[in-house]
Amino acid sequence: QVQLMESGGGLVQPGGSLRLSCAASGSIFSINDMGWYRQAPGTERELVAAINSGGSTNYADSVKGRFTISRDNAKNTVYLQMNSLKPEDTAVYYCNADCHTTWGIYPYWGQGTQVTVSS
C-alpha cells in the first residue's frame, strides 16, 4: 500500500509565499515522475509542475518564474515552492507520484491541501 501525505497549504496574502510538501510512504521500490496538480471550484484538475527522477522539470505557463518544484529521492518527497502568489492560484493542490511497487508502476494521489490567496 502506498500513501502520499501532503502538507503546507493555508491562507496567504497576494504576493506571499507557501511551500508544499508531499511524502510518499509504503512498499515503494522507486518513484518515476512526481508532480503537483490543482483544482479550483468549477474547473478541471490541471498540471502545475512536474519533475522526473533525473530532476528535469516542466511547469504550467501560469506559474513559470513563480513556482519551483523539487524532490528528495532519499525521502520520497516532492516540494512546491510558491512565490508571488496570486488570487487565481487559489485551489486544492494535489500531489501525484508514479510509484514502482511489488504490483507494478501505478500513479498515486495525495488527499489534497487547500491553498487560498486572499487579502
Side-chain angles (χ1 to χ4, degrees):
Q1 189 73 300
V2 173
Q3 290 187 329
L4 271 59
M5 184 62 65
E6 297 142 342
S7 61
L11 173 64
V12 64
Q13 292 186 341
S17 298
L18 283 175
R19 189 190 194 212
L20 305 183
S21 300
C22 174
S25 62
S27 301
I28 301 170
F29 294 144
S30 62
I31 301 178
N32 295 339
D33 292 352
M34 303 183 83
W36 289 95
Y37 292 71
R38 66 186 181 188
Q39 187 169 20
T43 70
E44 293 187 353
R45 191 173 297 188
E46 63 173 359
L47 175 67
V48 176
I51 184 168
N52 67 16
S53 57
S56 295
T57 60
N58 67 283
Y59 296 91
D61 287 344
S62 59
V63 307
K64 283 181 181 177
R66 300 188 297 122
F67 291 10
T68 302
I69 189 171
S70 61
R71 64 190 283 173
D72 184 332
N73 291 330
K75 296 181 179 179
N76 287 342
T77 299
V78 62
Y79 306 96
L80 186 67
Q81 178 66 43
M82 304 185 293
N83 299 328
S84 302
L85 282 160
K86 305 175 181 180
E88 51 264 42
D89 295 317
T90 295
V92 178
Y93 284 69
Y94 298 90
C95 72
N96 170 271
D98 291 336
C99 298
H100 185 192
T101 69
T102 302
W103 303 276
I105 300 176
Y106 295 97
Y108 293 86
W109 292 90
Q111 80 286 355
T113 185
Q114 177 70 46
V115 171
T116 302
V117 184
S118 175
S119 54

